[in-house]
Amino acid sequence: MSNAIEQIRKVQLGNGGPLVGVQGFGAMGISDAYGETDVAAARDTLEATLEAGVTLIDTADMYGSGANEEFLAPFVAAHRDEITLATKFGIERRADDPRYRGIRNEPAYVKSAVEASLRRLNVEVIDLYYMHRRDPAVPLAESVGAMAELVREGKVRHLGLSEVTGAELREAHAVHPITALQSEWSVFSRDVERSAVGAAAELGVAFVPYSPLGRGFLTGAFVDAGTDLSSSDFRQYQPRFTGDNAKANAALLEPLRKLAADRGATTAQIALAWVHQRSQVHDLTVVPIPGTRKRSRLLENTAATRITLTADELSLLEPIAGQVAGDRYPDMSFTSVGREA
């Protein structure tokens, strides 16, 4: 009897972009933000990504203030030709204030940030380089122009943006082709559908949803971050996951639970299947990047790529996002919807 893992299918990441597995891997939580890490289990999970056909590996320089990139470096070195490596710049942290987040987009910062990421990742070129957040005080033409220079210098292969509006995506794409747009998108978070999704579809830009499992909330892994999670878990600071908001939002999971029971699936698989089907709904490439520290969860997540929800099942999930209590972040000003409001 074979123990081979069924691999997910591949798609092209945007016009002229690399061929990647239709589901990627968000590496932030493997060593940052969600409490203590079991290093051996985390490294085994990374190996499982390639076994399952997951080839887009996503990190950022602010995850662990560079530590996440360093954690990935040995895995990247062992499998450099097999993976599409994505990282990001633009969010600055402070050692003396764990909750501080500053936004830096100026060209000189872009150039210094990429050099630091290349060094930590121990690579000569980054496959996909994102601007993590936008500082409206810095013209997009300047930021994207500096990123385009990195492509010309051979330090970066493709460009991406995160949490930008449709208008901002069009403006940036006019300066240099954008391969991927990364923003939060899930059955709980659909504000990107206001303008960003339509613009991405129009321009041939792939959409890379982060937190497609609502930072674990959609899996039922926790109910109230304030009481269920460790003091080092950043979800305690997100409004929708604590107190009355968390209680109200937990009740919204009932349709997910029902569909999961009917399908013999998990709530995570139903939530991921919904995200994958946005590709057909909006006519664009969609490559979500759920993260996990466990091999078993990774394989569970990739199995979701083989689930197709019916129109009736999708209709049960349709109202959820409009009923969610609380914002995604305490400060929404640096999100795309924050600039559209």
Side-chain angles (χ1 to χ4, degrees):
M1 185 174 179
S2 174
N3 292 319
I5 295 172
E6 185 174 353
Q7 292 208 336
I8 60 175
R9 64 186 177 87
K10 288 182 166 53
V11 294
Q12 187 176 22
L13 198 67
N15 290 337
L19 199 65
V20 300
V22 73
Q23 190 164 285
F25 182 76
M28 178 185 77
I30 208 160
S31 70
D32 184 40
Y34 297 121
E36 293 299 317
T37 296
D38 180 328
V39 173
R43 296 211 176 280
D44 182 57
T45 301
L46 285 174
E47 294 297 331
T49 61
L50 294 178
E51 294 171 31
V54 175
T55 58
L56 176 63
I57 309 297
D58 182 275
T59 183
D61 61 2
M62 63 86 66
Y63 299 159
S65 298
N68 194 253
E69 290 180 325
E70 292 172 345
F71 185 89
L72 288 174
F75 172 74
V76 172
H79 303 286
R80 187 65 189 98
D81 294 338
E82 301 171 72
I83 66 174
T84 295
L85 179 62
T87 193
K88 318 177 197 70
F89 76 91
I91 301 181
E92 192 173 48
R93 297 176 70 169
R94 289 178 180 167
D96 61 350
D97 183 0
R99 296 181 64 181
Y100 174 80
R101 301 290 186 270
I103 309 299
R104 300 284 300 275
N105 288 176
E106 64 272 25
Y109 184 80
V110 176
K111 294 177 181 179
S112 65
V114 77
E115 294 296 343
S117 286
L118 288 167
R119 183 176 65 253
R120 286 189 293 262
L121 289 162
N122 193 28
V123 296
E124 295 182 355
V125 60
I126 293 164
D127 299 315
L128 177 59
Y129 199 46
Y130 288 98
M131 184 171 76
H132 206 165
R133 293 290 185 272
R134 185 178 175 215
D135 178 1
V138 179
L140 260 179
E142 293 184 11
S143 303
V144 179
M147 295 170 71
E149 192 170 323
L150 301 179
V151 177
R152 290 190 290 271
E153 292 173 353
K155 296 174 181 177
V156 169
R157 290 195 172 101
H158 303 280
L159 302 185
L161 301 173
S162 180
E163 289 285 356
V164 298
T165 67
E168 290 167 341
L169 178 59
R170 290 187 180 91
E171 182 182 349
H173 195 75
V175 176
H176 187 279
I178 302 299
T179 296
L181 169 59
Q182 182 176 144
S183 289
E184 186 165 354
W185 199 9
S186 73
V187 71
F188 251 43
S189 300
R190 298 179 60 178
D191 50 64
V192 292
E193 294 173 22
R194 294 187 185 186
S195 70
V197 169
E202 172 191 321
L203 298 170
V205 174
F207 209 103
V208 178
Y210 72 80
S211 297
L213 296 175
R215 306 191 188 279
F217 193 78
L218 298 179
T219 72
F222 69 98
V223 175
D224 188 322
T227 58
D228 298 347
L229 303 177
S230 71
S231 59
S232 60
D233 196 304
F234 87 118
R235 288 171 289 188
Q236 293 196 42
Y237 307 114
Q238 295 187 299
R240 60 179 50 172
F241 298 144
T242 57
D244 290 342
N245 285 348
K247 184 177 180 180
N249 291 336
L252 298 177
L253 299 182
E254 186 53 37
L256 278 171
R257 287 190 285 263
K258 181 183 184 305
L259 292 183
D262 291 346
R263 285 279 193 146
T266 65
T267 56
Q269 289 173 327
I270 298 300
L272 283 170
W274 182 91
V275 174
H276 280 289
Q277 283 181 247
R278 299 305 93 191
S279 178
Q280 286 75 47
V281 172
H282 297 281
D283 193 25
L284 80 169
T285 300
V286 176
V287 182
I289 50 169
T292 182
R293 297 176 175 184
K294 298 178 179 179
R295 170 183 281 262
S296 61
R297 294 299 185 198
L298 184 131
L299 299 180
E300 175 187 319
N301 290 344
T302 55
T305 67
R306 296 181 281 275
I307 296 174
T308 301
L309 300 174
T310 67
D312 286 344
E313 289 172 328
L314 291 171
S315 69
L316 288 176
L317 304 178
E318 184 65 25
I320 293 176
Q323 301 174 55
V324 173
D327 286 331
R328 294 192 278 127
Y329 296 101
D331 179 2
M332 291 288 287
S333 64
F334 295 115
T335 67
S336 58
V337 70
R339 292 191 298 279
E340 288 178 320

